[in-house]
Amino acid sequence: MNFELLNLDAAQAGHEKCDVLLLLLTSTFKAGRNPLSSLISKALKAGDLADKPGSLLDIYRPVGLACARLVLVQLADGKPGSVRKGVAAAVALIKAAKPKQLTLCFDQAPGSQALHVALSTVAEASYVYTTTLSKAEARTLARVRLGVPNSTELATPFAQSVATVRGIELAKEWANRPANHATPSHLARAAQALAKLPRIKCDVMNHKEVEKLGMGAFLAVAQGSAEPLKFIELHYKGAAKNQPPVVLVGKGITFDSGGISIKPAAEMDEMKYDMCGAASVLGVFKALAELQPDINVVGLIPSCENLPSSRAVKPGDVVTSMSGQTIEILNTDAEGRLVLCDALTYAERFKPQAVIDIATLTGACVIALGGVRSGFFSSDAALSAAMAQASEASQDLCWPMPLDDDYAEGLKTSYADVANVAGRPGGAITAAKFLQRFTGKYPWGHLDIAGSAWKSGAAKGATGRPVGLLLHYVLSLQTPAA
Ligand code: BES
Ligand code: MN
Ligand code: ZN
């Protein structure tokens, strides 16, 4: 899908030749002297377009306008949620006509946030997964033009938005693929393909190298499956060598059956999404390659399957992590923290300015926050503030969660330095407390995306989150223009 930014006011929008024109209206619409404006004024006066976000008025071959079809889209207060609602409703309305091109026009100068929400909502609403269907109909929408009266001002945010959408779509593609089409080896190849892009490098470690590094926790999870593990390392080098990188660590469990502590059958298929953290890292790198910012970013993806077998790790087994800490694996279904803890130790070697891990880590986080906000854990004030800002700006929302030491009580055991599970209460937090033990050497943050990374039910599918959030955060670290 191609995006284009145009400088258009309401008068010019009327002259736009296109199949469909979506005119995005806010409550403060001011009519000018042009056919489009007077049409809008009449519709509003007649009460044919309610002042509720998502209200639509569909007009065929409007007299005096160049478009074949005009849809008036009510955004009301114009807040991000309303823009999403309006644009999603409009794209759903015109979907049956399978338009190849689409023009969206704002009635007045939007901010970068509204622009991004509009653009990403068009992408989201027109997305189709096709990879494993024999006769899939691909997305028909090929060209999307955005008309704003302030295009110069929005050029940079627009480029960022487009790159974010590309990243989101790559993340969705890998997350949506079934586990037999998205093995650790497939993910490694996807990462290596990214290394063809400018400033990106990729190294992949296999079992032998991982063993040599002493990643006993990661190895313990991987040992139950015949599918070979991969430890993927991506580098984006946009700044001087001595500039400390941000490290993004993505959980890459390509299928989580629970292992010997096996999960119930219902909805177990959704555990193909247990690599959404990894997919988001791939998505961020895709976007970085497009934007070429002057920062250094490292991506780490410990990837394997979590399966039961005669070789699988057993409840009660004690393993030694790369950090030297021993871990009693009381529940083999708490495998995410095991693969992550070794990657977090490995991250030390980059002397990072910050490390953020991204993981579909706990069902408890789904209960705590649902699908609206990802859980964010950090004991670093600067990182927390930067992430809160990125959350708002990207509208890929997260929410601060606590890390009080008392939450770690349940992780104590007599048989190892730490157990991999505590009780059920506060499960998202105790998981974070486990990870925190491995992050003493740098500012650290943890995103639990178990609720936000995919949707269940009829609209089952990956969301591509938190690519937008992460990208906003890493771009905020660019050196400001002099
Ligand atoms: N991948 C799951 C977390 C998960 C479960 C995400 C359901 C989304 C929906 C993770 O590996 C897991 O199984 N966590 C356990 C931890 C428990 C054993 C302490 C969980 O949340 O039940
Ligand atoms: Mn699990
Ligand atoms: Zn898992």
Side-chain angles (χ1 to χ4, degrees):
M1 205 171 21
N2 255 313
F3 295 97
E4 211 182 316
L5 187 66
L6 307 171
N7 207 82
L8 285 182
D9 58 25
Q12 293 162 320
H15 299 303
E16 267 300 291
K17 252 201 163 144
C18 55
D19 297 346
V20 186
L21 176 65
L22 303 185
L23 204 288
L24 311 181
L25 278 173
T26 48
S27 307
T28 53
F29 167 73
K30 281 186 226 52
R33 282 168 189 270
N34 57 71
L36 182 54
S37 274
S38 49
L39 187 154
I40 294 168
S41 300
K42 272 186 223 152
L44 290 172
K45 210 172 276 166
D48 287 331
L49 185 68
D51 194 31
K52 269 199 333 236
S55 302
L56 304 172
L57 186 60
D58 196 0
I59 305 153
Y60 186 62
R61 299 212 180 277
V63 179
L65 304 183
C67 58
R69 181 177 182 182
L70 169 69
V71 181
L72 300 184
V73 185
Q74 183 58 270
L75 304 185
D77 58 16
K79 286 186 183 159
S82 307
V83 179
R84 183 172 297 136
K85 229 177 177 170
V87 174
V91 175
L93 173 77
I94 61 168
K95 216 171 184 174
K98 295 184 185 166
K100 288 198 185 63
Q101 42 156 307
L102 185 61
T103 303
L104 281 81
C105 274
F106 286 84
D107 70 335
Q108 49 199 305
S112 56
Q113 203 183 36
L115 181 80
H116 174 64
V117 172
L119 208 148
S120 56
T121 304
V122 172
E124 168 73 35
S126 62
Y127 173 86
V128 249
Y129 170 82
T130 59
T131 312
T132 46
L133 284 95
S134 67
K135 285 193 279 286
E137 228 181 284
R139 170 194 261 151
T140 42
L141 190 59
R143 200 161 137 227
V144 179
R145 315 213 290 167
L146 285 119
V148 298
N150 54 335
S151 67
T152 320
E153 183 189 314
L154 288 176
T156 305
F158 172 74
Q160 239 187 70
S161 259
V162 175
T164 305
V165 166
R166 303 259 181 266
I168 288 173
E169 298 219 330
L170 182 73
K172 280 165 75 160
E173 172 62 25
W174 281 104
N176 279 331
R177 284 193 192 187
N180 63 329
H181 292 261
T183 62
S185 304
H186 287 117
L187 291 189
R189 258 175 269 151
Q192 276 157 339
L194 286 173
K196 295 216 165 70
L197 304 173
R199 289 177 163 174
I200 294 188
K201 228 190 73 186
C202 175
D203 287 308
V204 177
M205 291 193 283
N206 297 316
H207 182 272
K208 227 171 139 181
E209 292 120 291
V210 167
E211 200 167 40
K212 215 165 149 197
L213 284 164
M215 294 186 171
F218 179 24
L219 286 166
V221 177
Q223 77 189 39
S225 172
E227 196 62 58
L229 68 79
K230 300 286 164 185
F231 189 99
I232 303 165
E233 179 174 334
L234 280 158
H235 289 262
Y236 170 78
K237 297 184 185 188
K241 253 197 177 136
N242 61 2
Q243 191 81 261
V246 169
V247 180
L248 303 176
V249 182
K251 172 179 173 182
I253 299 295
T254 57
F255 190 75
D256 179 12
S257 71
I260 298 295
S261 315
I262 198 161
K263 290 181 181 293
E267 278 119 53
M268 204 208 269
D269 66 289
E270 293 190 10
M271 284 298 115
K272 72 172 184 180
Y273 294 118
D274 213 16
M275 36 60 75
C276 281
S280 75
V281 173
L282 296 178
V284 168
F285 273 76
K286 169 93 181 159
L288 289 172
E290 282 212 12
L291 293 169
Q292 298 284 302
D294 63 350
I295 48 174
N296 291 330
V297 185
V298 177
L300 301 177
I301 298 174
S303 183
C304 67
E305 294 183 334
N306 185 25
L307 295 184
S309 80
S310 70
R311 291 186 200 281
V313 72
K314 305 171 293 299
D317 284 2
V318 173
V319 298
T320 304
S321 66
M322 185 180 173
S323 71
Q325 298 178 70
T326 59
I327 302 166
E328 185 184 23
I329 300 177
L330 287 172
N331 189 323
T332 66
D333 197 9
E335 85 297 339
R337 59 199 81 181
L338 296 173
V339 306
L340 289 172
C341 73
D342 280 339
L344 288 168
T345 301
Y346 184 81
E348 290 173 4
R349 66 185 52 205
F350 304 109
K351 303 194 171 39
Q353 58 170 309
V355 177
I356 300 177
D357 73 73
I358 310 103
T360 47
L361 201 63
T362 65
C365 194
V366 189
I367 302 302
L369 296 173
V372 180
R373 289 183 187 252
S374 309
F376 182 67
F377 301 77
S378 180
S379 54
D380 187 85
L383 181 53
S384 301
M387 285 294 284
Q389 220 192 349
S391 163
E392 274 311 304
S394 66
Q395 285 296 299
D396 184 346
L397 301 168
C398 65
W399 194 253
M401 299 284 279
L403 280 170
D404 303 89
D405 283 336
D406 286 346
Y407 282 111
E409 280 303 303
L411 295 170
K412 288 186 175 153
T413 165
S414 316
Y415 294 100
D417 299 342
V418 65
N420 78 327
V421 289
R424 276 170 48 89
I429 311 166
T430 56
K433 288 307 284 180
F434 176 92
L435 293 176
Q436 192 180 26
R437 299 175 61 95
F438 301 85
T439 62
K441 300 243 165 82
Y442 44 70
W444 163 75
H446 158 59
L447 274 168
D448 194 331
I449 56 165
S452 57
W454 78 89
K455 291 185 179 140
S456 306
K460 193 195 284 182
T463 60
R465 290 174 67 187
V467 169
L469 171 64
L470 292 168
L471 197 67
H472 243 278
Y473 165 68
V474 298
L475 293 178
S476 75
L477 304 170
Q478 290 173 98
T479 37

